[in-house]
Amino acid sequence: MNLYSNKQKWKIVLMVVALCLVGASLFLSNRIVGKVAKRERERVTQWADAIKKRAELVKLTNRSFDELRTKERNEMELWIEATKEVSQNTDFGSTKSYDLPLRIINANNKIPVIVLDQKRRYSQSRNVSLTKDKLATAFPELSKQEVKQLYEDSMVNLALSWQKINPSFTVEIYTDLYMTYYFNESLNITRLQNERDSLIRSFNEELIDNTSFVPVVLVNGDKDSIIAHNLKKEDMAALDLSSGWKPDVFGNIPIEISFAEDETNYVYYDDSQELKQLQYFPYIQFLIIGLFIFIGYLIFSTFRKAEQNQVWAGMAKETAHQLGTPLSSLMAWTQLLETMEIDPSIPQEMNKDINRLTQVTDRFSKIGSGAKLEEKDIVATVENMVDYLRSRISNKVNVSFNSSEPVIIIAHNVSLFEWVIENICKNAVDAMEGRGELKIHVFQEKGKVNIDIQDTGKGMTSKEQRIVFQPGFTTKKRGWGLGLSLVKRIVQDYHKGRVFVLKSEVGTGTTFRISLNI
């Protein structure tokens, strides 16, 4: 028992050391992954702050754009009123002054205006960047008349396109002569609008081009449509985003960004592929460490088993050798006694013990050099050993034997298997303290031959059942604790079978089962 306890203590110590190493490794790995995740989220936060500042700049540009547009619309309305005032028909000899309207009209040097007659022919323009000289330079192959016609047609088309943006107004210059005025936003407004659009476009382009950054998706305010993203095609397919955005795809809380007063967008982001891979690293490391521990355990067990085999084989051979010499001498002495005038029963009993010792020597010899299996009747083997034991154990132990069939032929070594039955039965008798019932039952079941050995002894706890076949385990004050270990070795190693505790209850008894393949 002490030998096994010491081994168990060393196993526990090694297990604790291994678990400590694994725990420390996992702790460090988790800390590293946590730091990487923290830095990545800090990068996302900094990036989002920069985008928010850019969004604030867009909002400021929008406000400036709206203020300037309102101001220019007011100026345009004043310009329209002045134009109408100047264009009104007046009575002959009227002394009405047009100085103020004319100053208002001439003060317009920003808002582009194109005037078409009632037949939608070009009449005049103001603050329009397109000129005849530019067209002549762009199309040198055209004549002056063709350039003029191209210019007028272009101005008409430009005026009609402006009408879609700002409403035109018509003034009666003379009776039945009407002029329609078309105007567009000034160059300042266009420049601000282009700057705003450029900021939004640059954000989208930066988002799309930055595939090395964390996965980012910009969606609309209703969170059902994707505006821009930096996902690859295979990622889009994997997330099934071809039909629209699904808010539960990324687990992180979205970042709210407003590019206008009444327009809110959301930026969703996910952990990078590198971080996701790092999150699995502790588990991979755990598996690798576990694999190394398992391989080390297998190697250690293999060497230990090989060493045990060498010890068993050496001890068995040496025992057989040491017993051989005194057995030869005893045989000679019994032969001498048989020639003398003494009670014949004395040398007969001595011969029985010599035969028994010879059998024991044969067993040890086979343990050390291997055992040959022969097709023989297992029922006869077990029954012969039971009959042998009946006369050598306490008469207060009731021994019974039965078999489901009279003959069961199976490959086994008779000498070694008798040793198995003997060891288990002797342990059972010791557990009953020389008083009780011992039942041996042989039967076939599902391609196996089972031998149940049942006693009414003190039984075993669940812990004792797990270690009962370990070398060194014994509940007796005397003994090496090798009997059941030899039983397991003979059954498993030589007969390729199993031996185990079928059931045991403290205070009631124990049943051992030997199971051999047919």
Side-chain angles (χ1 to χ4, degrees), residues 35-207:
K35 288 181 179 179
V36 173
K38 183 179 179 181
R39 291 196 191 99
E40 191 168 279
R41 288 183 173 86
E42 288 176 352
R43 285 176 58 202
V44 173
T45 304
Q46 292 171 357
W47 176 81
D49 291 340
I51 295 302
K52 285 183 178 181
K53 290 179 181 178
R54 190 178 299 180
E56 289 296 326
L57 182 59
V58 171
K59 291 170 67 176
L60 178 61
T61 304
N62 280 334
R63 285 196 293 269
S64 301
F65 173 76
D66 292 337
E67 291 174 359
L68 184 58
R69 175 180 283 177
T70 302
K71 179 180 178 182
E72 289 191 355
R73 285 185 182 276
N74 293 335
E75 291 179 358
M76 193 61 199
E77 289 176 0
L78 183 61
W79 188 86
I80 291 170
E81 293 298 325
T83 302
K84 288 180 179 180
E85 182 69 23
V86 172
S87 302
Q88 286 180 356
N89 293 328
T90 58
D91 297 333
F92 182 76
S94 174
T95 59
K96 185 176 180 180
S97 174
Y98 293 100
D99 291 341
L100 179 59
L102 288 174
R103 283 202 302 272
I104 293 173
I105 293 172
N106 292 330
N108 177 24
N109 56 5
K110 296 179 295 182
I111 303 174
V113 180
I114 297 176
V115 183
L116 304 182
D117 61 16
Q118 57 194 20
K119 294 183 179 181
R120 286 192 173 181
R121 293 176 298 189
Y122 172 73
S123 176
Q124 58 178 315
S125 62
R126 187 181 186 87
N127 302 325
V128 180
S129 58
L130 181 63
T131 63
K132 293 178 183 179
D133 294 337
K134 290 182 179 180
L135 288 177
T137 303
F139 302 97
E141 70 278 6
L142 299 179
S143 63
K144 289 184 178 181
Q145 187 62 31
E146 289 174 336
V147 170
K148 178 183 177 184
Q149 186 62 42
L150 178 60
Y151 173 74
E152 291 179 356
D153 292 341
S154 301
M155 296 299 282
V156 170
N157 292 330
L158 185 60
L160 295 178
S161 67
W162 288 352
Q163 191 176 23
K164 298 176 182 179
I165 302 174
N166 296 302
S168 61
F169 65 94
T170 302
V171 178
E172 186 178 12
I173 304 300
Y174 299 107
T175 304
D176 297 330
L177 177 60
Y178 297 91
M179 292 291 180
T180 302
Y181 293 80
Y182 301 87
F183 68 96
N184 194 22
E185 293 164 342
S186 69
L187 295 176
N188 291 334
I189 292 180
T190 304
R191 178 178 56 79
L192 283 175
Q193 188 173 6
N194 290 337
E195 289 180 357
R196 180 200 62 183
D197 295 341
S198 176
L199 284 171
I200 297 176
R201 188 166 53 253
S202 66
F203 165 68
N204 292 340
E205 290 175 353
E206 178 185 341
L207 191 65

Side-chain angles (χ1 to χ4, degrees), residues 113-390:
V113 180
I114 297 176
V115 183
L116 304 182
D117 61 16
Q118 57 194 20
K119 294 183 179 181
R120 286 192 173 181
R121 293 176 298 189
Y122 172 73
S123 176
Q124 58 178 315
S125 62
R126 187 181 186 87
N127 302 325
V128 180
S129 58
L130 181 63
T131 63
K132 293 178 183 179
D133 294 337
K134 290 182 179 180
L135 288 177
T137 303
F139 302 97
E141 70 278 6
L142 299 179
S143 63
K144 289 184 178 181
Q145 187 62 31
E146 289 174 336
V147 170
K148 178 183 177 184
Q149 186 62 42
L150 178 60
Y151 173 74
E152 291 179 356
D153 292 341
S154 301
M155 296 299 282
V156 170
N157 292 330
L158 185 60
L160 295 178
S161 67
W162 288 352
Q163 191 176 23
K164 298 176 182 179
I165 302 174
N166 296 302
S168 61
F169 65 94
T170 302
V171 178
E172 186 178 12
I173 304 300
Y174 299 107
T175 304
D176 297 330
L177 177 60
Y178 297 91
M179 292 291 180
T180 302
Y181 293 80
Y182 301 87
F183 68 96
N184 194 22
E185 293 164 342
S186 69
L187 295 176
N188 291 334
I189 292 180
T190 304
R191 178 178 56 79
L192 283 175
Q193 188 173 6
N194 290 337
E195 289 180 357
R196 180 200 62 183
D197 295 341
S198 176
L199 284 171
I200 297 176
R201 188 166 53 253
S202 66
F203 165 68
N204 292 340
E205 290 175 353
E206 178 185 341
L207 191 65
I208 295 171
D209 293 339
N210 192 1
T211 56
S212 62
F213 196 52
V214 299
V216 178
V217 178
L218 177 66
V219 301
N220 62 353
D222 295 330
K223 301 181 181 180
D224 58 1
S225 178
I226 298 176
I227 300 174
H229 64 85
N230 68 342
L231 300 178
K232 298 178 182 179
K233 290 183 179 179
E234 54 268 24
D235 295 333
M236 290 285 289
L239 296 173
D240 191 22
L241 299 179
S242 57
S243 59
W245 174 248
K246 300 176 182 178
D248 58 345
V249 172
F250 294 159
N252 296 319
I253 300 175
I255 301 171
E256 182 178 321
I257 295 178
S258 299
F259 290 105
E261 296 297 338
D262 57 347
E263 181 183 354
T264 301
N265 298 326
Y266 295 91
V267 174
Y268 284 84
Y269 66 96
D270 195 13
D271 296 332
S272 66
Q273 290 296 326
E274 292 77 9
L275 180 58
K276 288 182 178 180
Q277 292 171 0
L278 277 176
Q279 289 173 345
Y280 291 107
F281 178 73
Y283 302 100
I284 296 173
Q285 190 180 31
F286 176 76
L287 290 176
I288 293 174
I289 293 174
L291 181 62
F292 274 112
I293 293 175
F294 178 69
I295 293 173
Y297 174 77
L298 289 180
I299 294 173
F300 173 75
S301 298
T302 302
F303 281 118
R304 185 183 64 178
K305 189 173 182 180
E307 184 180 358
Q308 287 178 350
N309 290 337
Q310 292 177 357
V311 172
W312 281 112
M315 183 184 71
K317 288 180 179 180
E318 182 63 21
T319 302
H321 176 72
Q322 293 293 334
L323 288 174
T325 300
L327 274 175
S328 299
S329 179
L330 285 173
M331 289 179 184
W333 282 109
T334 54
Q335 290 175 0
L336 178 62
L337 289 174
E338 288 175 351
T339 61
M340 298 175 64
E341 295 181 357
I342 61 173
D343 187 356
S345 63
I346 294 175
Q348 289 177 359
E349 291 299 322
M350 290 181 65
N351 279 325
K352 290 181 181 179
D353 291 332
I354 290 172
N355 291 335
R356 179 62 179 166
L357 285 173
T358 302
Q359 189 179 23
V360 171
T361 304
D362 181 60
R363 290 174 179 174
F364 277 108
S365 177
K366 290 175 179 177
I367 285 286
S369 58
K372 182 180 179 181
L373 305 184
E374 296 178 348
E375 295 286 341
K376 291 192 175 183
D377 183 12
I378 191 74
V379 176
T381 301
V382 177
E383 189 173 14
N384 290 337
M385 178 49 63
V386 172
D387 291 339
Y388 172 81
L389 291 173
R390 275 196 178 99

Side-chain angles (χ1 to χ4, degrees), residues 427-466:
N427 273 279
V429 172
D430 291 339
M432 293 185 291
E433 297 180 350
R435 183 188 300 271
E437 291 187 6
L438 180 62
K439 297 179 180 180
I440 298 93
H441 178 49
V442 182
F443 62 98
Q444 292 188 74
E445 183 181 48
K446 297 180 180 179
K448 295 180 181 296
V449 175
N450 296 325
I451 304 166
D452 287 352
I453 302 174
Q454 181 182 0
D455 66 59
T456 56
K458 56 186 178 182
M460 291 184 289
T461 64
S462 57
K463 179 181 178 181
E464 289 173 336
Q465 292 178 44
R466 290 194 299 268

